Amino acid sequence: MAIKILVTGGTFDKEYNLLTGQLFFNGTHVPEMLRLGRSRLHVTIKTIMMIDSQSMTNADRKKIVQECEHSKEDKILITHGTDTMTETARLLGQTIRDKTIILTGAMVPYAFGSSDGLFNFGSALAFLQTLPPGVYISMNGKYFHWDNVRKNKDVGLFEETQ
Amino acid sequence: MAIKILVTGGTFDKEYNLLTGQLFFNGTHVPEMLRLGRSRLHVTIKTIMMIDSQSMTNADRKKIVQECEHSKEDKILITHGTDTMTETARLLGQTIRDKTIILTGAMVPYAFGSSDGLFNFGSALAFLQTLPPGVYISMNGKYFHWDNVRKNKDVGLFEETQ
Amino acid sequence: MAIKILVTGGTFDKEYNLLTGQLFFNGTHVPEMLRLGRSRLHVTIKTIMMIDSQSMTNADRKKIVQECEHSKEDKILITHGTDTMTETARLLGQTIRDKTIILTGAMVPYAFGSSDGLFNFGSALAFLQTLPPGVYISMNGKYFHWDNVRKNKDVGLFEETQ
Amino acid sequence: MAIKILVTGGTFDKEYNLLTGQLFFNGTHVPEMLRLGRSRLHVTIKTIMMIDSQSMTNADRKKIVQECEHSKEDKILITHGTDTMTETARLLGQTIRDKTIILTGAMVPYAFGSSDGLFNFGSALAFLQTLPPGVYISMNGKYFHWDNVRKNKDVGLFEETQ
C-alpha cells in the first residue's frame, strides 16, 4: 500500500530560532517521526510549502489540491497548520472523491517535549489505511469528515459541527 | 464510541529504578499519553496486570481473554509486551469474534526520549475505530491479522508470516 | 550554604501557548529543574518578574539590584533573558561587592527537548558555590566577569570583550 | 583552560537495547551533551572503558589513575558509575595532588527524559574550573572532597560522611 505524505508546514514543524527567539520553519520532522515510530510503511514524502496555515492563500490551497489530483498514490496524508485546516479540507472534499486524504497537524510543535505531533501522526497514518475514499481531518485521536468539522479555537480542539 | 484500554505491562510501561539500576513497572503511562495526544476519545482504562510478556502464563492469557469477553465495550485496546504479543493475539482470535481488539506495545519504553510508544498508541487507537470485528496487532505503523503475524526478533519488527 | 534564586523570566521559562501559537510565560521551571537534577542544595526561590529581557526597564533592573542588596543570602543566582543580561550584570557589578551573584539563562526554552537550560543551571549553581564575591554571567559552560563580557548576537554565544 | 574528559561508563551512558530489552553501553553521550549545553570550553574527550562501576576492578581503577597522571591537562572530569565512584575517588585522592579531578555521573541514564545527567555534567564542568587542585565528586548540585563522601544507597544521594 503506497502512501504519499504532503508537507505544508504548520505548528507541527515549527522550530525555535535561538538567535531571534522566534518560531520558524527549518525542515520537516516527518522522516524523523517515521523513524522514531519504527514505521515499515511505504511512504513518499514531498514538501510542497512550509507556511503557517493562517497565511495560506487560495493559490496555496489550489496547489495542494493539484498535488493530490496528480498523486499516483490514492492514500495521501497532508501535514497542515490547524488554523485553516478545515478550509483546505473543504476544498479538497469538494474536488476529490476517489482518494483517501487525511489532514493532520499538531497544537504543540514536535520539537517541544509536550507535543501531540507523534500521536496525531500515528493516528492519521492508521486512518489513512482503513478509511474509504474521502477527505478527513485526524486530530485528538479521532477522524472527522471534511464537511462536518470545525476547530474550536477557545479550547484548541476539533469537533463535529452538528 | 466507547473504548476499553486493558493494560498488561510490557516495554511500554517500563521505568528506570535509580536505586537498583533495573527497569521495572511502576504505573501505566496510558493516561499521560492520552493527555499528551489531546485525545477526546471516550476511554475506560483498566490495568489487569503489569508484567513482561516473556513471563506471561497461560492463566494470564486466559484472564485477558475473559476481560475482553466480559467487556461491555466492543472496541478494546490491549497494551502488551512484544515478545509474546502474537501468542495472546492468537488465543484471543480463536475465542472472540464479535469485538474489535487491537494489541499494541513498544520496542523502547515510553519513558525514554526515543520511544515508539506514542506513535504506536496513536495508530492503535485509530485502527480500533475503523477496523471490523477481529483481533489485530498494531506495530510499525501497520496492522496485522492475529493469524498472519510474527515478531522478527532479529530486527525487532513485526511482519506477515506469508 | 544558603542560596537565593531570583527568577526574572527570559527564554529559560518560555512556554508554548497552543491557543495563540505564541511563546509566553506561565510559571518558572526552576523547581522542576532542581528536582530533575536531584539537587540537595538549600535554595530559596523568588520570582520577582516574568519578562523578556528586551523589555526590561531601568526600574526593573533597580528592583533586581534591591532584591540582591536586601537578600540575606550572599550567594544569589538570577535567571534572566540573555539579550540584556550583560546590562543587568553591569548595574549589579557597579553596586554590589560583598555577595556572589551569578546571572544565567538559556538560548532555547527549557520546555524544548533541545534546551541548554539544565546544563546552564547546573553550571551556574556550581560557580555560585566556588567563585569569590562578585558579579558574573554563566553561559556556554564558562563564567564571565560582569565587566568583561558581551553577547555575540550573530552566533548566540557569550564571550569576553577583551 | 584545557580540560580533559575521561569516560568510563556508568549509568550516564546506558542505552536501551530494543532487541534484548536490556540496558547496555553503546557510545558516550558526552559530545552530545557539550553540544546541547552550547559549551565553548576547550575539552579533549577520551573513552578509556565503558563499564558498570560495580564491575570495575582494581586494574581498571589503576588505569584511570594512570590516565590522570599522564594527562597533560590539569583539569580532569571523569564520568563514572555511581556505585563505586567513591572508591575510585579515594584511590585518585591518595595518589594525585597537583591536578583538579572531578568525578561525576548520573542516577538516571541520559537517554531517559528524566535524567539528572545534563545537570550534573554542567555542575561538574563548572566546579572543575574553580576548585583548587584535589579530587572531588560532583553530584546533587554539590561537590564533595574524596575523603569525606559516601553514596547513601537507600535514597540514591551523595552525602558527607561526617
Side-chain angles (χ1 to χ4, degrees):
Chain A
M1 187 184 296
I3 290 172
K4 167 75 70 72
I5 299 180
L6 296 177
V7 174
T8 74
T11 295
F12 220 55
D13 276 333
K14 282 282 184 72
E15 292 185 48
Y16 187 78
N17 183 329
L18 56 81
L19 297 183
T20 65
Q22 302 297 310
L23 297 169
F24 78 124
F25 292 111
N26 189 1
T28 179
H29 297 86
V30 163
E32 183 185 336
M33 294 165 89
L34 289 167
R35 189 187 52 72
L36 199 67
R38 301 178 59 72
S39 166
R40 296 296 282 173
L41 298 170
H42 296 286
V43 305
T44 308
I45 303 167
K46 182 172 181 181
T47 300
I48 52 179
M49 61 196 73
M50 233 9 186
I51 59 174
D52 274 317
S53 77
Q54 280 181 317
S55 60
M56 196 176 273
T57 63
N58 285 339
D60 292 326
R61 272 184 246 281
K62 279 182 192 160
K63 187 167 171 16
I64 295 172
V65 172
Q66 285 169 357
E67 287 285 345
C68 290
E69 285 175 331
H70 298 155
S71 166
K72 64 178 193 292
E73 297 88 353
D74 60 2
K75 306 272 189 187
I76 304 172
L77 177 67
I78 303 173
T79 64
H80 195 289
T82 58
D83 281 326
T84 68
M85 189 184 278
T86 57
E87 285 181 51
T88 305
R90 191 181 318 121
L91 189 61
L92 284 163
Q94 289 165 345
T95 317
I96 302 178
R97 291 172 197 279
D98 58 344
K99 290 173 176 165
T100 304
I101 300 175
I102 314 244
L103 295 93
T104 195
M107 291 302 293
V108 177
Y110 178 69
F112 271 86
S114 60
S115 177
D116 52 339
L118 192 62
F119 177 87
N120 292 346
F121 190 60
S123 299
L125 282 170
F127 285 132
L128 195 62
Q129 297 170 66
T130 47
L131 285 172
V135 175
Y136 311 86
I137 280 176
S138 167
M139 289 293 288
N140 306 120
K142 296 179 166 184
Y143 70 93
F144 302 90
H145 290 273
W146 66 268
D147 58 355
N148 188 19
V149 58
R150 71 173 156 228
K151 179 180 174 186
N152 181 330
K153 300 199 176 184
D154 294 334
V155 289
L157 297 167
F158 283 74
E159 59 194 18
E160 298 188 344
T161 49
Q162 42 188 277
Chain B
M1 186 184 297
I3 291 172
K4 168 75 70 71
I5 299 180
L6 296 177
V7 174
T8 73
T11 295
F12 220 54
D13 276 334
K14 282 281 185 71
E15 291 185 48
Y16 186 78
N17 183 329
L18 55 82
L19 296 183
T20 65
Q22 303 296 310
L23 296 170
F24 78 123
F25 292 111
N26 189 2
T28 178
H29 297 86
V30 163
E32 183 185 336
M33 294 164 89
L34 288 167
R35 188 186 53 72
L36 199 67
R38 300 177 60 72
S39 166
R40 297 296 281 173
L41 298 169
H42 297 286
V43 305
T44 308
I45 303 166
K46 183 172 181 180
T47 300
I48 53 180
M49 60 195 74
M50 235 5 189
I51 60 175
D52 274 318
S53 77
Q54 280 180 317
S55 60
M56 195 176 275
T57 63
N58 284 339
D60 291 327
R61 271 184 248 282
K62 279 182 192 160
K63 187 167 172 14
I64 295 173
V65 171
Q66 285 168 357
E67 287 284 347
C68 290
E69 285 176 330
H70 298 154
S71 165
K72 63 177 194 292
E73 296 89 352
D74 59 1
K75 306 275 189 185
I76 303 172
L77 177 67
I78 303 173
T79 65
H80 195 290
T82 58
D83 280 327
T84 68
M85 188 183 280
T86 57
E87 285 181 51
T88 305
R90 191 180 318 120
L91 189 61
L92 284 164
Q94 289 164 345
T95 317
I96 301 179
R97 291 172 199 280
D98 58 344
K99 289 174 177 167
T100 303
I101 299 175
I102 314 243
L103 296 93
T104 195
M107 291 301 293
V108 177
Y110 179 69
F112 271 86
S114 60
S115 176
D116 53 339
L118 192 61
F119 178 87
N120 292 346
F121 189 61
S123 298
L125 283 170
F127 284 133
L128 194 62
Q129 296 170 68
T130 47
L131 286 172
V135 176
Y136 311 85
I137 280 176
S138 167
M139 288 292 288
N140 306 120
K142 296 180 167 183
Y143 70 93
F144 302 90
H145 290 273
W146 66 269
D147 58 356
N148 188 19
V149 58
R150 72 174 155 227
K151 180 180 174 186
N152 182 330
K153 299 198 177 185
D154 295 334
V155 289
L157 297 167
F158 283 75
E159 59 194 19
E160 299 188 343
T161 51
Q162 42 188 276
Chain C
M1 186 183 297
I3 290 172
K4 168 75 71 70
I5 300 180
L6 296 177
V7 174
T8 74
T11 294
F12 221 53
D13 276 334
K14 282 280 185 75
E15 292 187 47
Y16 186 77
N17 183 330
L18 56 83
L19 297 184
T20 64
Q22 303 297 309
L23 296 169
F24 78 123
F25 293 111
N26 189 4
T28 179
H29 296 87
V30 163
E32 183 185 335
M33 293 164 88
L34 289 167
R35 189 186 52 74
L36 199 68
R38 301 177 60 72
S39 166
R40 296 296 282 173
L41 299 169
H42 296 286
V43 305
T44 307
I45 303 167
K46 182 172 182 181
T47 300
I48 52 179
M49 59 196 74
M50 235 2 189
I51 59 174
D52 273 318
S53 77
Q54 280 180 317
S55 60
M56 195 176 273
T57 63
N58 285 339
D60 292 326
R61 272 184 248 281
K62 278 181 193 160
K63 186 166 171 19
I64 295 172
V65 171
Q66 286 169 355
E67 287 284 345
C68 291
E69 287 176 329
H70 298 155
S71 166
K72 64 178 193 294
E73 297 88 352
D74 61 0
K75 306 273 188 187
I76 304 173
L77 177 66
I78 303 173
T79 64
H80 195 291
T82 58
D83 281 325
T84 68
M85 188 183 278
T86 57
E87 285 181 51
T88 305
R90 191 180 319 121
L91 190 61
L92 284 163
Q94 289 165 345
T95 318
I96 303 178
R97 291 173 198 280
D98 58 345
K99 291 175 176 166
T100 303
I101 300 176
I102 313 244
L103 295 92
T104 195
M107 291 301 293
V108 177
Y110 178 69
F112 271 85
S114 59
S115 177
D116 53 338
L118 192 62
F119 177 88
N120 292 346
F121 189 62
S123 299
L125 283 169
F127 284 132
L128 194 63
Q129 296 169 69
T130 46
L131 286 172
V135 176
Y136 311 86
I137 281 176
S138 168
M139 289 292 289
N140 307 120
K142 297 179 165 183
Y143 70 93
F144 303 90
H145 290 272
W146 67 267
D147 58 355
N148 188 18
V149 58
R150 73 174 154 226
K151 180 179 174 186
N152 181 332
K153 299 199 177 185
D154 295 333
V155 290
L157 298 166
F158 282 75
E159 58 193 21
E160 299 187 342
T161 50
Q162 43 188 274
Chain D
M1 187 184 296
I3 291 172
K4 168 75 71 73
I5 299 179
L6 296 177
V7 174
T8 74
T11 295
F12 220 55
D13 276 334
K14 283 281 184 73
E15 293 185 47
Y16 186 78
N17 182 330
L18 56 82
L19 297 183
T20 65
Q22 303 297 310
L23 295 169
F24 77 124
F25 292 112
N26 189 4
T28 178
H29 296 87
V30 162
E32 183 185 335
M33 292 164 90
L34 288 167
R35 188 186 52 74
L36 199 67
R38 302 178 59 74
S39 166
R40 297 296 282 173
L41 299 169
H42 296 287
V43 305
T44 307
I45 303 166
K46 182 172 182 180
T47 300
I48 53 179
M49 59 195 74
M50 231 9 185
I51 59 175
D52 273 318
S53 77
Q54 280 180 317
S55 60
M56 195 176 273
T57 63
N58 285 339
D60 292 326
R61 271 184 249 281
K62 279 181 193 161
K63 186 167 171 20
I64 295 172
V65 172
Q66 286 169 357
E67 286 285 346
C68 290
E69 286 176 329
H70 299 155
S71 166
K72 63 178 194 295
E73 296 89 352
D74 60 2
K75 305 273 189 188
I76 304 173
L77 176 67
I78 303 174
T79 65
H80 196 289
T82 59
D83 280 326
T84 69
M85 190 184 277
T86 57
E87 285 182 50
T88 305
R90 190 180 319 120
L91 189 61
L92 284 163
Q94 290 165 344
T95 319
I96 302 179
R97 293 173 197 280
D98 59 343
K99 291 174 176 166
T100 304
I101 300 176
I102 314 243
L103 295 93
T104 195
M107 292 301 292
V108 177
Y110 178 68
F112 271 85
S114 59
S115 177
D116 52 338
L118 192 62
F119 177 87
N120 292 345
F121 189 62
S123 299
L125 283 170
F127 285 132
L128 194 62
Q129 297 169 67
T130 47
L131 286 171
V135 176
Y136 312 86
I137 281 177
S138 168
M139 289 292 289
N140 306 120
K142 297 178 165 184
Y143 70 93
F144 302 89
H145 290 273
W146 67 268
D147 58 356
N148 188 18
V149 59
R150 72 174 154 227
K151 180 181 173 185
N152 181 331
K153 299 200 177 185
D154 294 332
V155 289
L157 297 167
F158 283 75
E159 57 194 21
E160 298 187 344
T161 50
Q162 42 188 275

